[in-house]
């Protein structure tokens, strides 16, 4: 009978182990632990034993029952936890609203050029400064050696608010502002920004466009420094030995003045020089008005046409494409859309 009890114990443990859900476990309970279950029946076998043997066997059955019941309870707990977790998982509610699918933009081709040129100059120790687009006549013209009535003012037809205030016609007023701010100390700056001139808009003209001004003031700054700077920047921009041509020119704020062309290969393979910037040695009057002694300090300045460069680099034929914000046009210049 001891063997029988041992076998029953193993069977019950096996049944408990095999139950993989609460329903199966309940069947195990009914089969073994209920009033008519196998364990009660085992107790019933006591009848067949002699009165002396009964207490010892009875105790053995009870001990066995305790062991398997313990095992049963552990299994029950385990299955209940699993059941609860499953329920929680299946009843999970997503409380989030679906998000708006915003398209991320891309960098405008004009800003790509500005970033590229700024990187070059920052790497070479220049500071990037900005100035206002609504400017005083004082900075835009007078301090740039274009006093009231100067005939060269007519080269830059302007939008005036009143006789003293206008939309800046170039980024050069930032030269004057920076010189005053630096109070006679050497400086190296670039200034990218928007500029405005009265113009009939067409394929190559716009009443609003962008420039990058450059100004270096110090002791012993020479024309050779200017030439080297421009050549080096163009090599960087055009990724190689750029063919640069300097032509004498005239700006009231530089002396001597030059215009700078780059030899550019067109789509059909022919080559052509295209003007991309104006430059020169800072005029002594400009230095003086900016608070620098022209006997001690010299400097060079340049003004780069950003649209020009962008049109060359990206083979864009109509300047108006830059301003109409047609996404089909803009997305050509970046992978990020
Ligand atoms: N300000 C000039 C223009 O807009 C360009 C320039 C800048 C020329 C600095 C010389 C020096 O045409």
């Amino acid at each position: 009978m001891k063997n029988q009890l041992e076998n029953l114990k193993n069977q019950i443990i096996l049944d408990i182990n095999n139950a993989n859900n609460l329903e199966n476990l309940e069947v195990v309970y009914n089969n073994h632990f209920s009033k008519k279950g196998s364990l009660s029946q085992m107790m019933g076998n006591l009848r067949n034993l002699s009165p002396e043997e009964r207490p010892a066997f009875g105790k053995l059955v009870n001990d066995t029952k305790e062991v398997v019941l313990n095992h049963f309870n552990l299994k029950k707990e385990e299955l209940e936890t699993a059941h609860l977790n499953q329920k929680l998982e299946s009843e999970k509610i997503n409380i989030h609203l679906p998000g708006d699918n915003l398209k991320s933009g891309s960098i405008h081709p004009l800003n790509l050029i500005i970033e590229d040129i700024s990187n070059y100059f920052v790497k070479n120790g220049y500071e990037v400064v900005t100035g206002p687009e609504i400017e005083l006549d004082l900075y835009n013209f007078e301090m740039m050696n274009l006093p009231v009535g100067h005939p060269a003012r007519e080269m830059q037809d302007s939008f005036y608010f009143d006789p003293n205030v206008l939309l800046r016609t170039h980024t050069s007023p930032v030269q004057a502002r920076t010189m005053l701010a630096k109070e006679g100390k050497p400086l190296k700056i670039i200034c990218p920004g928007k500029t405005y001139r009265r113009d009939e808009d067409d394929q190559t003209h716009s009443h609003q466009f962008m420039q990058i001004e450059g100004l270096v003031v110090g002791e012993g700054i020479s024309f050779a420094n200017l030439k080297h700077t421009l050549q080096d920047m163009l090599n960087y921009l055009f990724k190689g030995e750029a063919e640069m041509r300097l032509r004498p020119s005239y700006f009231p704020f530089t002396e001597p003045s030059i215009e700078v062309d780059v030899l550019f290969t067109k789509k059909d393979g022919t080559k052509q020089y295209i003007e991309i910037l104006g430059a020169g040695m800072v005029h002594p009057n400009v230095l003086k008005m900016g608070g620098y002694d022209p006997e001690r300090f010299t400097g060079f300045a340049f003004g780069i046409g950003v649209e020009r460069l962008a049109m060359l680099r990206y083979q864009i034929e109509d300047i108006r494409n830059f301003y109409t914000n047609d996404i089909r046009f803009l997305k050509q210049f970046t992978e990020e859309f």
Side-chain angles (χ1 to χ4, degrees):
M1 235 190 291
K2 260 193 186 169
N3 271 347
Q4 237 179 314
L5 183 63
E6 190 62 28
N7 287 343
L8 179 61
K9 176 183 167 190
N10 290 339
Q11 183 59 51
I12 297 177
I13 290 179
L14 197 68
D15 287 354
I16 292 173
N17 288 348
N18 285 340
N20 51 14
N21 58 40
L22 286 168
E23 289 80 51
N24 290 348
L25 197 65
E26 200 175 325
V27 174
V28 175
Y29 187 88
N30 289 335
N31 287 345
H32 299 296
F33 297 96
S34 65
K35 270 191 192 149
K36 287 183 183 160
S38 59
L39 283 165
S40 302
Q41 279 169 25
M42 191 56 80
M43 272 303 196
N45 287 342
L46 283 180
R47 267 185 272 120
N48 308 328
L49 293 174
S50 63
E52 302 81 57
E53 288 172 316
R54 280 179 199 167
F57 189 71
K59 183 172 183 314
L60 207 56
V61 176
N62 276 333
D63 289 351
T64 304
K65 190 174 175 179
E66 202 181 305
V67 170
V68 289
L69 193 61
N70 240 339
H71 194 66
F72 176 90
N73 285 334
L74 284 176
K75 181 73 178 188
K76 191 170 168 210
E77 221 169 274
E78 185 189 306
L79 287 177
E80 276 170 353
T81 312
H83 178 70
L84 184 66
N85 284 343
Q86 199 192 352
K87 216 169 147 188
L88 285 176
E89 192 58 40
S90 69
E91 289 173 6
K92 207 168 175 181
I93 301 170
N94 184 354
I95 56 163
H96 299 95
L97 280 174
D100 289 336
N101 193 3
L102 291 180
K103 283 208 180 105
S104 62
S106 60
I107 299 175
H108 193 281
L110 293 177
N111 281 326
L112 286 173
I113 298 277
I114 288 175
E115 274 185 18
D116 204 10
I117 294 182
S118 299
N119 282 342
Y120 169 83
F121 282 108
V122 167
K123 206 173 59 187
N124 284 290
Y126 285 67
E127 223 180 296
V128 180
V129 301
T130 52
E133 289 171 29
I134 298 173
E135 188 50 288
L136 294 177
D137 187 274
L138 173 71
Y139 297 118
N140 194 80
F141 288 131
E142 283 164 54
M143 286 189 69
M144 287 289 104
N145 205 27
L146 281 143
V148 178
H150 192 292
R153 280 189 180 217
E154 283 183 17
M155 280 164 38
Q156 302 190 355
D157 226 347
S158 320
F159 293 109
Y160 276 93
F161 293 90
D162 65 47
N164 296 318
V165 182
L166 71 160
L167 290 175
R168 67 179 177 193
T169 58
H170 49 181
T171 40
S172 300
V174 183
Q175 289 190 32
R177 288 179 173 273
T178 307
M179 282 190 271
L180 292 179
K182 293 285 180 188
E183 295 179 323
K185 287 196 261 318
L187 63 92
K188 276 167 93 175
I189 57 133
I190 57 161
C191 166
K194 277 191 211 141
T195 54
Y196 305 82
R197 288 183 203 175
R198 267 179 45 191
D199 219 334
E200 299 293 336
D201 290 5
D202 63 19
Q203 271 206 322
T204 52
H205 294 86
S206 167
H207 63 281
Q208 176 224 293
F209 53 100
M210 297 191 89
Q211 291 189 333
I212 301 176
E213 193 78 13
L215 175 68
V216 174
V217 178
E219 289 183 58
I221 302 292
S222 70
F223 193 88
N225 296 140
L226 170 61
K227 189 177 170 192
H228 169 80
T229 300
L230 296 175
Q231 179 71 63
D232 197 50
M233 175 196 71
L234 292 174
N235 292 348
Y236 166 85
L237 265 186
F238 291 96
K239 302 184 172 47
E241 228 8 71
E243 191 71 44
M244 175 176 88
R245 184 174 74 176
L246 308 185
R247 279 179 294 110
S249 184
Y250 171 76
F251 299 103
F253 30 91
T254 48
E255 179 60 34
S257 301
I258 51 170
E259 270 167 335
V260 179
D261 304 337
V262 182
L263 189 63
F264 179 71
T265 311
K266 293 199 288 189
K267 270 188 205 159
D268 63 8
T270 56
K271 292 180 179 226
Q272 191 189 347
Y273 277 106
I274 296 187
E275 182 198 328
I276 53 165
L277 63 93
M281 300 306 293
V282 181
H283 196 287
N285 287 351
V286 174
L287 286 171
K288 220 181 293 171
M289 284 184 274
Y292 289 78
D293 175 5
E295 295 298 323
R296 204 178 134 202
F297 287 97
T298 49
F300 65 74
F302 53 85
I304 305 170
V306 179
E307 277 80 352
R308 264 295 168 85
L309 273 180
M311 287 170 86
L312 284 180
R313 185 192 271 194
Y314 301 118
Q315 314 247 333
I316 295 163
E317 266 141 33
D318 192 329
I319 196 171
R320 291 168 293 196
N321 282 325
F322 290 126
Y323 316 116
T324 42
N325 285 339
D326 184 334
I327 282 183
R328 288 166 305 176
F329 168 77
L330 295 173
K331 77 204 278 194
Q332 297 175 74
F333 308 100
T334 174
E335 304 291 294
E336 288 157 43
F337 251 84

